[in-house]
């Protein structure tokens, strides 16, 4: 039995820091249980001042499910479960995904039938300006909707699709607009401007109008928490009750993050 972890909630809409823990060392089962509980309570947990290797990151990720190679292929790497998110170029070619622009709100890999469940991001290099990641508490946002909107969206589904056509499965993937967390039973909004395309069975103008209304609701500052990255930060988040967006940063400044992801074969319901 280990002692209680030092879990410090942010003063924002979600998220908690877990302090005084060294992720180069294996965690005890009880510590893993405490991190899992904090993740269910706060949606996002982060650890500062880590100096971990790629195998350390994969080991940490594996406490919460099976880390898998990202569906988007990158050049061969010694630890294939690590996916690089970076604007850095080597020999004129990007070494990772997502460049330096804004990446609007999304839940990871929602264009798949079984989307990503949890994600981990480790900061290796960060820009001097911009490049923050913001998470939205989609459970709080859903709870705060007017009852007439809740009634209107309760049985709706929306198509999710990656903007790079080859990333998508051959069939159209749709998910409920309101999903239920399989562990907490709480309901969350599950639409975001980066990957959601339209509401199934709705006329285009009506779908555009409804999604715009839901996005404007989600993007209110009271549902959002901004993570100001420091080198050595490791963030673990639950994609089921949260969405996230990455803010832009200057193209000439370097940002290098290492990501791992877990799929738990869950179909959103
Ligand atoms: C992502 O959108 O998955 C990456 C977030 C980030 O680079 O901060």
């Amino acid at each position: 039995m280990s002692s209680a972890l030092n879990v410090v909630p942010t003063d924002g809409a979600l998220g908690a820091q877990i302090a005084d823990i060294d992720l180069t060392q294996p965690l005890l089962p009880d510590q893993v249980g405490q991190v899992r509980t904090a993740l269910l309570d706060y949606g996002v947990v982060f650890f500062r001042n880590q100096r971990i290797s790629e195998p350390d990151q994969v080991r940490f990720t594996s406490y919460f499910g099976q880390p898998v190679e990202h569906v988007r292929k990158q050049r061969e790497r010694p630890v294939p479960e690590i996916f690089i998110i970076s604007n850095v170029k080597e020999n004129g070619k990007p070494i990772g995904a997502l460049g330096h622009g804004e990446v609007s709100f999304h839940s990871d890999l929602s264009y798949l039938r079984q989307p990503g469940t949890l994600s981990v991001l480790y900061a290796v290099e960060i820009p001097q300006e911009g490049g923050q990641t913001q998470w939205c508490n989609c459970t709080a946002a859903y709870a705060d909707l007017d009852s007439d909107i809740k009634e209107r969206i309760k049985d709706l589904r929306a198509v999710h699709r990656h903007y790079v056509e080859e990333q998508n499965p051959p069939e159209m993937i749709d998910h409920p607009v309101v999903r239920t967390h399989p562990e907490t039973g709480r309901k969350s909004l599950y639409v975001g401007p980066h990957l959601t395309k339209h509401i199934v069975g709705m006329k285009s103008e009506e779908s555009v109008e409804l999604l715009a209304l839901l996005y404007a609701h989600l993007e209110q500052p009271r549902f959002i928490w901004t993570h100001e990255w420091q080198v050595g930060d490791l963030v673990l988040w639950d994609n089921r009750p949260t969405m996230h967006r990455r803010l832009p940063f200057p193209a000439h400044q370097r940002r290098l993050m290492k990501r791992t992801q877990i799929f738990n074969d869950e179909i959103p319901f």
Side-chain angles (χ1 to χ4, degrees):
M1 177 80 183
S2 57
S3 54
L5 293 183
N6 186 2
V7 179
V8 185
T10 70
D11 55 10
L14 77 174
Q17 180 177 359
I18 302 186
D20 310 323
I21 187 161
D22 173 6
L23 300 179
T24 62
Q25 302 304 311
L27 297 188
L28 298 167
D30 176 59
Q31 293 176 311
V32 173
Q34 291 184 56
V35 175
R36 195 188 293 278
T37 301
L39 188 63
L40 291 175
D41 288 346
Y42 299 106
V44 181
V45 295
F46 64 99
F47 305 81
R48 294 241 194 238
N49 302 315
Q50 302 298 320
R51 293 290 177 269
I52 56 170
S53 65
E54 294 188 353
D56 288 337
Q57 182 169 344
V58 172
R59 182 189 59 238
F60 173 79
T61 308
S62 70
Y63 294 136
F64 307 100
Q66 177 68 42
V68 288
E69 200 173 334
H70 197 283
V71 288
R72 295 178 65 181
K73 292 284 164 255
Q74 291 189 323
R75 67 181 180 191
E76 266 196 27
R77 302 182 39 75
V79 179
E81 295 90 346
I82 300 280
F83 182 74
I84 302 293
I85 293 182
S86 185
N87 64 325
V88 173
K89 290 186 178 161
E90 278 174 14
N91 303 321
K93 289 202 177 130
I95 62 165
L98 298 181
H100 68 278
E102 174 169 342
V103 182
S104 57
F105 272 115
H106 62 284
S107 178
D108 283 336
L109 303 151
S110 69
Y111 51 92
L112 303 178
R113 173 62 61 213
Q114 296 170 322
T117 315
L118 308 182
S119 304
V120 175
L121 203 54
Y122 175 60
V124 180
E125 291 184 70
I126 55 166
Q128 292 94 317
E129 303 147 61
Q132 299 92 337
T133 308
Q134 297 187 314
W135 276 269
C136 173
N137 184 335
C138 299
T139 310
Y142 171 76
D144 192 64
L145 283 170
D146 290 344
S147 50
D148 56 332
I149 301 278
K150 282 188 180 154
E151 186 58 29
R152 184 172 168 205
I153 65 175
K154 76 175 173 12
D155 295 320
L156 295 180
R157 299 182 69 82
V159 169
H160 294 239
R161 205 138 178 94
H162 198 278
Y163 55 95
V164 178
E165 193 47 40
E166 306 85 73
Q167 302 299 333
N168 292 298
E171 73 279 20
M172 283 288 170
I173 298 299
D174 58 69
H175 295 300
V177 169
V178 180
R179 73 176 289 184
T180 303
H181 195 292
E183 291 172 72
T184 66
R186 295 189 205 113
K187 290 183 175 177
S188 303
L189 277 174
Y190 193 59
V191 286
H194 189 53
L195 297 173
T196 307
K197 296 298 159 210
H198 60 266
I199 307 279
V200 176
M202 207 174 250
K203 289 216 175 81
S204 173
E205 306 89 88
E206 197 189 346
S207 166
V208 168
E209 175 265 327
L210 178 57
L211 287 174
L213 183 151
L214 295 175
Y215 298 158
H217 180 74
L218 283 168
E219 292 180 11
Q220 294 177 81
R222 66 202 164 105
F223 300 129
I224 290 171
W225 168 69
T226 302
H227 186 62
E228 300 284 348
W229 288 99
Q230 297 176 8
V231 169
D233 282 355
L234 181 137
V235 180
L236 163 68
W237 71 92
D238 188 340
N239 282 295
R240 298 164 292 185
T242 68
M243 299 238 164
H244 57 283
R245 75 175 158 204
R246 202 273 309 279
L247 300 184
F249 57 98
H252 64 277
Q253 295 185 13
R254 291 169 65 102
R255 188 178 190 270
L256 173 55
M257 319 292 275
K258 293 183 177 177
R259 200 168 106 178
T260 37
Q261 49 282 313
I262 291 173
F263 296 84
N264 283 344
D265 297 338
E266 286 173 13
I267 297 179
F269 62 91

